[in-house]
């Protein structure tokens, strides 16, 4: 299908904006996913910086499209929506839309079955900022062909495109090469696992948002035990707060140990003394030799005590 064949029908369907006047549509953005609620670290600073630049000048930066990829729970959806929220706030006249790859495919199939494909195409070609989450779910030659034409039209018109995926463009399977090449036109950014300082900063920020006070030692335990992604870490904190509230208990190390035991995905037998010491050394920015020395400096003693506690609870012994 050629781009020129997609024209709005004389009897506008639900996808079409009547006349030439822009109509307010729901951008489908969650206010909680704003930049203010993102914690920047080495794992995501490039993505956040690019997102802020895009938000200031949508469609007018080299980051078009912005392709954000990484494993689950690393903040891809949060970053993509934060860009949309910032643009929507700064440029209220622009039409911003967030949609998942699977939703786009389903809408396309429904439009075909209802003989409203032209209206569907006209709808998407009027979007100023299109955010497609989990674009790896957009499988099928027909829906990809439709998206290819939409991409071309929006990109050539200077509209902003933001995509997220669980893998890099080069690793996408069952995608047309011409579409993959366009994903690579702008900037591809990988979100990585957060390091210890970033995990701890995220926990403290969420505590502040929830209006609760949790001891640093408890937060350090959570940040040490849960290293895979932000989602599991945040889930552990919320579960901890809920457990303490519902059971009328104090938020203690023991309660945190019980709660995280139901969440941590790593197998217990994979935790070794060396790994515990490495994590503690990473957080306190000290060497293993310093940790194992006889130094009585306050920060070294604290690091040694935490390493011993984690060794007892996670491994069953200590050095």
């Amino acid at each position: 299908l050629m781009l020129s064949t997609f024209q709005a029908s004389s009897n506008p369907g639900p996808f079409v904006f009547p006349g030439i006047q822009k109509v307010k549509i729901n951008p489908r953005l969650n206010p909680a996913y704003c930049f203010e609620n993102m914690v920047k670290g080495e794992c995501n600073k490039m993505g956040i910086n690019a997102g802020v630049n895009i938000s200031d000048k949508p469609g007018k930066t080299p980051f078009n499209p912005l392709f954000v990829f990484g494993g689950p729970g690393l903040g891809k959806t949060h970053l993509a929506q934060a860009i949309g929220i910032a643009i929507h706030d700064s440029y209220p006249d622009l039409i911003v839309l967030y949609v998942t790859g699977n939703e786009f495919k389903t809408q396309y199939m429904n439009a075909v079955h209802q003989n409203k494909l032209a209206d569907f195409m006209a709808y998407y070609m009027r979007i100023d900022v299109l955010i497609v989450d989990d674009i790896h779910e957009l499988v099928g030659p027909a829906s990809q062909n439709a998206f290819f034409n939409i991409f071309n039209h929006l990109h050539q018109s200077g509209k902003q495109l933001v995509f997220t995926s669980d893998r890099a463009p080069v690793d996408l399977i069952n995608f047309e090469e011409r579409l993959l090449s366009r994903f690579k036109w702008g900037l591809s950014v990988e979100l990585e696992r957060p390091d210890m300082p970033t995990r701890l900063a995220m926990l403290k920020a969420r505590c502040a948002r929830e209006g609760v006070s949790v001891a640093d030692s408890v937060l350090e335990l959570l940040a040490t035990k849960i290293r895979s992604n932000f989602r599991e870490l945040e889930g552990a904190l919320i579960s901890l707060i809920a457990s303490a509230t519902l059971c009328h208990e104090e938020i203690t190390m023991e309660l945190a140990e019980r709660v995280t035991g139901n969440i941590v995905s790593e197998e217990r037998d994979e935790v070794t003394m060396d790994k515990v010491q490495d994590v503690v050394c990473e957080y306190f920015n000290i060497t293993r030799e310093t940790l194992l020395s006889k130094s009585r400096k306050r920060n070294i003693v604290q690091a040694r005590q935490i390493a011993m506690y984690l060794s007892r609870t996670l491994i069953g012994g200590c050095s």
Side-chain angles (χ1 to χ4, degrees):
L1 293 175
M2 299 299 293
L3 180 61
S4 59
T5 64
F6 295 120
Q7 301 294 333
S9 65
S10 57
N11 182 23
F15 291 114
V16 175
F17 301 124
I20 61 174
Q21 197 172 30
K22 287 191 175 182
V23 176
K24 295 289 184 181
I25 66 169
N26 180 8
R28 305 180 69 244
L29 299 170
N30 184 343
Y33 288 153
C34 58
F35 279 120
E36 289 74 14
N37 289 340
M38 290 197 79
V39 174
K40 184 189 290 189
E42 290 297 322
C43 58
N44 58 15
K45 68 178 182 180
M46 183 176 178
I48 292 178
N49 290 341
V52 170
N53 273 275
I54 288 171
S55 303
D56 290 339
K57 297 179 291 185
K60 295 180 175 62
T61 72
F63 315 135
N64 195 19
L66 175 65
F67 193 102
V68 182
F69 66 96
L74 297 180
K76 300 185 298 295
T77 297
H78 192 150
L79 176 58
Q81 289 224 1
I83 294 170
I85 291 170
I87 294 174
H88 190 260
D89 290 343
S90 299
Y91 302 92
D93 291 335
L94 295 184
I95 301 174
V96 180
L97 180 65
Y98 167 90
V99 65
T100 68
N102 188 58
E103 288 170 341
F104 181 93
K105 178 182 177 181
T106 300
Q107 292 172 4
Y108 169 81
M109 293 172 62
N110 289 339
V112 171
H113 292 155
Q114 298 170 13
N115 197 28
K116 294 180 179 179
L117 181 57
D119 295 347
F120 170 85
M121 298 298 292
Y123 172 86
Y124 270 96
M125 288 181 179
R126 289 176 180 265
I127 303 299
D128 295 304
V129 181
L130 179 60
I131 302 168
V132 184
D133 203 0
D134 293 332
I135 201 165
H136 54 270
E137 296 179 345
L138 182 58
V139 294
S143 56
Q144 285 183 19
N145 179 67
F147 188 78
F148 174 81
N149 283 289
I150 291 171
F151 180 106
N152 282 346
H153 176 81
L154 295 182
H155 195 273
Q156 292 169 8
S157 302
K159 309 302 183 181
Q160 182 65 51
L161 297 155
V162 178
F163 308 134
T164 77
S165 174
D166 63 359
R167 66 207 72 174
V170 69
D171 296 323
L172 289 171
I173 57 176
N174 299 321
F175 268 74
E176 294 185 19
E177 188 59 37
R178 59 176 184 165
L179 195 52
L180 291 178
S181 68
R182 280 157 176 76
F183 290 164
K184 304 172 187 176
W185 277 359
L187 175 67
S188 294
V189 177
E190 180 178 11
L191 300 187
E192 301 175 343
R193 287 190 175 194
D195 57 18
M196 181 67 175
T198 307
R199 298 196 298 271
L200 193 56
M202 190 282 283
L203 289 173
K204 291 181 177 180
R206 187 57 193 262
C207 285
R209 284 163 51 194
E210 295 294 331
V212 297
S213 178
V214 180
D216 286 348
S217 58
V218 173
L219 297 182
E220 289 165 5
L221 172 63
L222 295 182
T224 300
K225 291 192 63 175
I226 302 177
R227 307 185 302 274
S228 55
N229 58 60
F230 287 118
R231 186 177 298 149
E232 285 191 1
L233 192 60
E234 192 172 38
L237 177 63
I238 297 304
S239 296
L240 179 62
I241 295 172
S243 296
T245 302
L246 296 175
C247 299
H248 304 289
E249 297 183 45
E250 291 186 13
I251 300 179
T252 62
M253 296 281 277
E254 290 72 21
L255 179 59
E257 178 68 30
R258 295 204 307 268
V259 170
T260 55
N262 297 323
I263 296 175
V264 176
S265 58
E266 289 86 0
E267 292 294 330
R268 184 173 294 269
D269 59 6
E270 292 180 352
V271 180
T272 65
M273 196 81 68
D274 288 345
K275 289 184 178 179
V276 169
Q277 292 174 358
D278 286 344
V279 170
V280 173
C281 289
E282 175 194 351
Y283 175 73
F284 284 92
N285 194 27
I286 60 176
T287 64
R288 183 177 296 185
E289 289 73 18
T290 302
L291 178 71
L292 300 178
S293 70
K294 295 182 180 181
S295 171
R296 303 306 299 173
K297 290 183 179 180
R298 183 176 180 180
N299 65 315
I300 305 302
V301 172
Q302 184 181 18
R304 193 178 299 127
Q305 290 174 339
I306 291 176
M308 292 172 64
Y309 175 83
L310 292 173
S311 296
R312 286 196 301 269
T313 57
L314 299 180
I315 305 172
C318 63
S319 57

